[in-house]
Amino acid sequence: MNTFPKGFLWGGASADFQVEGGFDEGGRGLLSHDYETDGSLEEPRHHTMKMPDGTLIYPRSSFFYADEVPPEAEPVFLEDAYYPSHKAVDFYHHYKEDIALMAGMGFNVYRFSICWSRIYPNGEEEQPNKEGLSFYRNVINELKKYGMEPLITICHDEMPMNLALKYDGWSSRYLIDCYLKYCKTLFEHFGQDCKYWLTFNEINAVKGFGPCGTRKSDGHVRYLAAHHMFVASAKAVILGHEMMPDAKFGTMYAMSELYPASCKSEDVFHALLERRENWYFIDIMARGYYPSYAKQIWKHHGFDHLEISDEDKDILKRGQLDFVSFSYYRSNITQAGDPWFNVGGSINPYLETTPWGWPIDPLGLRHVMNTIYDRIQKPLFIVENGLGVVDQADENGYVEDDYRIEYLKDHFKAMRDAINEDGVDCIGYTMWAPVDLVSLSTGEMKKRYGFIYVDMNDKGEGSLKRTPKKSYYWMKEVISSNGSSID
Ligand code: BGP
């Protein structure tokens, strides 16, 4: 059997601040990603911040990194810096064209995130911003016009700036209320048209970077923030199921496969312990309780107790996820003595890497699918996977991206084998990202993922013209044959 299951969801994925632009349009409030520059200051992904005495600092990473950013530093926009996400690829004004192009490939699902600060500009208003709601209503209508299922990420590594600055993000339990109000608004307005929801993006990145919005690196604060996000997610699932009986909920995990660097027992055991850092997030949210090894994780992060009330335990139990969704880009290796979450730390000599040093490992995807499914026994949804490279477009904007076709073909075969040979239940795949966009980790445009080229460079120069790449036509065949054309 060379095809994917009947009804398999094929599509693409993106995040609001990486595609939309229009950062000061439609009543949108400032977002925690708005201060990321193109890297012209020194190297990619600098954020612009100012100390109380006026001294400027450019943390390499977002201002959520406490170790790099003094707590008194405030984000600031500089006139001589360019902020690529402010314009991005202007999906805000090009959504009709982009959705039509995606429909042209035969997509039956599109994953996108709603920008929290378009709906609640500072996160605390009583009433939502109507212009924000109407933008996403238009996007959803457009998807429906082409028979595409919206897959909505409620929160993609972001929050209204006000909530980050005033409350130190998710370290405050108050954010649960703000998030629930936001979710309720989305379910009320879009619930009748949207079945698939993701409560957070890459939630397991809380430990190193990403979505929790606290400046403190202290382990206890970060895992408390994660606990608040677990409770918020579970409450959203409970509410969502009440308001939309057919809705299905997941949360997105960053799942790099992790191999022991050797068969030495110490290396293998180290890999098991390190892997648990990811399982911690999946187990709590998809099985609905804190696992017995939680204390070991806390200890590793320098604390030995997290207060979890009986009420919270009950919420976690009732608000379990319906499916497990994850991103898969690469695998990593680890050995005894390595720090946990040592992404990119050790080199796997058996794998080629992308120009950004990410090991390419299709079989690792099959491995991940099996390990998650064996453990959780809920349907999987692969919601991010793709190849970020520098594409060379010809004078018409056309890119002959055979390397992307090879990458995807190998990953699709691995995915098909996991489903057809290994018995994994996987309901869909959304490739990152159908239209070229701004990179999350580097803030650059030149790291391109798309089936569709966008004429836009790192300095914001370009016509924004969209041109399908060779992979666009290849993907169209993959979808119309439900996967059999990859042989
Ligand atoms: C994931 C994020 C995405 C995306 C992707 C690729 O971690 O959820 O937002 O950007 O990685 O990463 P990058 O853009 O850094 O190449």
Side-chain angles (χ1 to χ4, degrees), residues 9-54:
L9 293 166
W10 286 106
S14 67
D16 54 274
F17 57 91
Q18 294 177 264
V19 290
E20 282 178 10
F23 93 113
D24 56 358
E25 290 182 62
R28 178 189 184 276
L30 287 173
L31 197 69
S32 46
H33 278 283
D34 292 345
Y35 296 85
E36 182 174 5
T37 69
D38 67 322
S40 60
L41 293 165
E42 274 173 47
E43 59 178 72
R45 200 161 203 253
H46 274 87
H47 292 248
T48 48
M49 303 199 61
K50 199 180 198 171
M51 296 293 282
D53 67 0

Side-chain angles (χ1 to χ4, degrees), residues 14-15 17-18 111 156-157 201-202 209 252 254 327 329 358 384 388 432 437-443 447 449:
S14 67
F17 57 91
Q18 294 177 264
R111 174 185 173 222
H156 194 111
D157 296 9
N201 184 65
E202 294 197 338
F209 53 89
M252 201 275 237
S327 63
Y329 289 95
W358 295 14
E384 273 187 40
W432 186 269
L437 40 54
V438 175
S439 157
L440 176 79
S441 61
T442 71
K447 188 181 189 187
Y449 283 89

Side-chain angles (χ1 to χ4, degrees), residues 176-193:
I176 298 176
D177 298 340
C178 302
Y179 178 83
L180 256 283
K181 180 178 61 180
Y182 165 51
C183 288
K184 187 159 182 255
T185 302
L186 300 186
F187 300 161
E188 268 164 10
H189 286 80
F190 309 134
Q192 70 277 28
D193 290 318

